[in-house]
Amino acid sequence: MLHFSRDEFDARRDRLMLEMGEQKLDALMLFAQESMYWLTGYDTFGFCHFQCLVVKADGEMQLLTRSADLRQARQTSTLESISIWRDRGSADPVIELRDMLDDMGLLGARIGVEWATHGLTAANGQMVQERLGSFATLKEASNLVPLLRAVKTPAEIETVREAARLGDEAFDAALPLIKAGANEADILAALQGEVLRQGGDYPANPFIVGSGRDALLCRYKSGRRILDDQDQLTLEWAGVKSQYHAALMKTVIVGRPSERHVELHTAAREALDAVEAAMVPGSSFGDVFDAHAAVMEAHELVRHRLSACGYSLGARYAPSWMDTPMFYSGNPQPIVPDMTLFAHMIIMDSDRDTAMTLGRTYLTTTGAPEPLSRLSLDLISV
């Protein structure tokens, strides 16, 4: 099953070929699963094993993967040329990759490599360098496809809009369950279950559900808790459609918000407003972070904020839905129209065990960004 038209995939291939020409690459070795998905539709979690999609400058493509993913590639992608390396005691998939590259006429070629990806372990990367370093000239190309993916096509934007709708619906399903005596497990099940019930997908990383002191955590962890009469609950979740993510983040107060909760929410809302004002063409990702940081500094919250305040979103695979570019100090990547970007204001005051978060996904335009969520930014107490 293809989630996009053949014409869409052809246009993506043409964009890639143009960029490869600009970088004078004869071929590109793709190891990132999201790169393969974006280019061909190939949809699998088999990247936990060695696989590589080779793309030549003329558009020819050939996939090397394991037998378990042969049918996966045939049924989910536009690929026609698929080679299999077989599991056995003496298996050396990189030698088989070298043979495939040789058959494709790439001996001595200038080949870009996606080194910076979870789809290529350090051990496998060392083998690629050792076995192919004398076969061809290997060039760092980890950002080539991610920067192309960062700017969405109309078809991708439509998919992200649906993901955003699913994210809103998930929160609507979970909110009535958030109350004193509630089990975090039920809230998590409502969030994830609603996305799946409406035809969405699993996220690339687990949702964050943490209350009490755990509301100050920015990662999923094992274990569930019962909400107290007076509590705080931090949620980070995403609507996901065809592997495309639209993330959201909130801290919900059970009982009466403390004075500190109100102070932190005020700062988070001001910071998000500042980020929106900076998220326009002509600004950089670093400028967006600086707008967030200035508000935090004005509220004397420098010790309690993070060193990044968001990132690009799109089609991603485990272990994380975070994509590049990211909002951090000094990042020169420019904001351009048709990016889908998640901005999160995260304030964790460990001195007072008080958490506050606020975040949503935006579509950049030629002017102000468009929020893709309909949910209110007001402080929620139940």
Side-chain angles (χ1 to χ4, degrees), residues 190-209:
L191 284 171
Q192 182 64 82
E194 189 65 17
V195 173
L196 296 177
R197 190 184 71 79
Q198 295 204 33
D201 297 320
Y202 288 114
N205 58 254
F207 294 168
I208 295 171
V209 179

Side-chain angles (χ1 to χ4, degrees), residues 95-367:
I95 291 297
E96 299 195 37
L97 174 59
R98 187 184 65 188
D99 292 342
M100 189 178 84
L101 293 169
D102 197 18
D103 291 341
M104 296 175 74
L106 291 171
L107 176 63
R110 182 182 169 93
I111 303 177
V113 185
E114 283 188 327
W115 296 110
T117 170
H118 303 102
L120 184 65
T121 65
N124 285 337
Q126 285 181 330
M127 288 195 294
V128 168
Q129 185 65 63
E130 290 169 2
R131 287 157 173 71
L132 299 181
S134 60
F135 175 88
T137 301
L138 304 182
K139 295 294 182 180
E140 165 62 44
S142 298
N143 286 330
L144 197 160
V145 174
L147 290 180
L148 291 176
R149 291 192 302 104
V151 180
K152 306 300 190 289
T153 65
E156 289 178 295
I157 291 170
E158 181 179 347
T159 302
V160 175
R161 288 188 185 280
E162 175 62 10
R165 186 190 70 80
L166 293 177
D168 287 349
E169 295 286 316
F171 186 74
D172 287 345
L175 183 58
L177 304 179
I178 303 175
K179 56 189 175 181
N183 192 320
E184 289 178 355
D186 294 328
I187 298 165
L188 176 60
L191 284 171
Q192 182 64 82
E194 189 65 17
V195 173
L196 296 177
R197 190 184 71 79
Q198 295 204 33
D201 297 320
Y202 288 114
N205 58 254
F207 294 168
I208 295 171
V209 179
S211 60
R213 291 189 65 205
D214 291 344
L216 280 72
L217 303 182
C218 296
R219 299 286 184 262
Y220 171 86
K221 70 170 189 62
S222 181
R224 304 290 178 261
R225 181 177 173 275
I226 305 299
L227 301 185
D228 291 331
D229 292 342
Q230 188 68 43
D231 218 323
Q232 55 186 353
L233 176 69
T234 292
L235 302 172
E236 185 183 51
W237 74 103
V240 189
K241 183 66 176 180
S242 302
Q243 307 293 6
Y244 284 77
H245 294 69
L248 299 109
M249 196 169 196
K250 288 184 182 293
T251 299
V252 178
I253 307 304
V254 177
R256 182 182 297 276
S258 68
E259 182 179 339
R260 188 58 167 165
H261 280 128
V262 174
E263 291 173 355
L264 297 187
H265 179 266
T266 297
R269 182 67 182 270
E270 287 182 15
L272 192 59
D273 288 344
V275 160
E276 288 184 18
M279 198 186 296
V280 295
S283 297
S284 69
F285 277 72
D287 292 333
V288 173
F289 175 82
D290 291 344
H292 145 271
V295 173
M296 296 298 177
E297 183 174 1
H299 284 267
E300 300 182 343
L301 294 171
V302 174
R303 291 194 305 114
H304 307 302
R305 67 161 173 83
L306 302 185
S307 297
C309 68
Y311 40 80
S312 178
L313 283 175
R316 283 281 286 180
Y317 288 79
S320 174
W321 68 49
M322 292 186 287
D323 215 339
T324 57
M326 181 174 283
F327 298 129
Y328 57 75
S329 180
N331 187 345
Q333 286 294 332
I335 301 291
V336 299
D338 298 330
M339 290 178 157
T340 50
L341 307 178
F342 176 48
H344 58 63
M345 307 299 104
I346 299 177
I347 310 172
M348 303 304 188
D349 184 350
S350 296
D351 297 337
R352 305 190 199 181
D353 284 336
T354 305
M356 185 53 58
T357 65
L358 193 62
R360 60 185 178 180
T361 300
Y362 297 85
L363 172 68
T364 58
T365 71
T366 56

